[in-house]
Amino acid sequence: MTDPRRTNEYRVKRAKFLAHSDLICHWCGRQTYTSVKPWHPMKATIDHLIEVDLASSLALDVTAWVVACGPCNSSRGASFGNRKPKRSPIARSSREW
């Protein structure tokens, strides 16, 4: 399945959401901006209250979105990634015997 965040529909909704939102980070309360470079820490980003990995059907639901600064969004993503069960790689034989 394709990541819903890579669709044109998501990009359009994200642009509208950021254009009509108060650009204060939901988590730390700092001002964020849409006019800074993409890697700037105060770049306004979309954070999903329910992680997309848990409910990809909610990825396009703007009621489950908040504005977040880069550091807060990254921190939440990293802590979610660290809580996910790790998949062990499956050892496969190089040949079918």
Side-chain angles (χ1 to χ4, degrees):
M1 180 176 177
T2 315
D3 186 341
R5 293 168 292 187
R6 301 208 185 279
T7 63
N8 192 47
E9 181 183 3
Y10 181 83
R11 289 183 190 104
V12 169
K13 283 186 173 190
R14 180 183 61 204
K16 286 181 182 178
F17 183 83
L18 290 174
H20 294 75
S21 295
D22 182 19
L23 296 178
I24 303 295
C25 177
H26 178 79
W27 306 111
C28 69
R30 290 184 287 184
Q31 180 69 42
T32 62
Y33 306 93
T34 56
S35 58
V36 296
K37 302 277 186 194
W39 58 86
H40 192 282
M42 293 293 94
K43 175 75 174 173
T45 64
I46 298 294
D47 196 1
H48 298 83
L49 294 174
I50 301 170
E51 287 81 3
V52 175
D53 284 0
L54 296 178
S56 63
S57 61
L58 296 177
L60 299 174
D61 181 3
V62 297
T63 62
W65 291 3
V66 293
V67 175
C69 65
C72 287
N73 200 344
S74 294
S75 174
R76 280 184 34 87
S79 69
F80 173 73
N82 290 337
R83 289 190 317 265
K84 280 175 44 174
K86 303 295 181 219
R87 292 185 186 173
S88 59
I90 299 172
R92 295 187 186 260
S93 172
S94 61
R95 296 185 180 158
E96 293 290 327
W97 295 100

